[in-house]
Amino acid sequence: MAVPKRKKSKAKIRSRKASHKTKPVAVGVCPQCGAARRPHRACPGCGYYRERQVISVEAE
Ligand SMILES: [Zn+2]
């Protein structure tokens, strides 16, 4: 089995792990009510998705 010849330096490991940072959460705007809404999800404010109501929201 192939085995690494040298131990990787801390800088090498840290520079690789620097690319493992998570992306910020994608947030869009609801075309129905203008509230912040995640893409491909029903709006938490008005319950609309693709121009029709798909979930009921108590306080509208
Ligand atoms: Zn909405």
Side-chain angles (χ1 to χ4, degrees):
M1 195 179 100
V3 171
K5 193 170 189 176
R6 292 264 174 233
K7 177 181 177 176
K8 280 190 171 55
S9 68
K10 287 174 186 170
K12 187 80 179 171
I13 291 163
R14 286 170 186 169
S15 72
R16 170 165 24 99
K17 290 189 175 179
S19 67
H20 293 178
K21 191 182 173 187
T22 56
K23 288 178 187 171
V25 173
V27 175
V29 173
C30 175
Q32 185 73 23
C33 68
R37 189 207 67 163
R38 297 202 61 197
H40 312 289
R41 277 149 184 87
C43 176
C46 63
Y48 270 64
Y49 190 73
R50 290 187 67 183
E51 288 126 39
R52 65 187 185 91
Q53 189 150 30
V54 289
I55 55 166
S56 62
V57 179
E58 293 87 61
E60 287 201 50

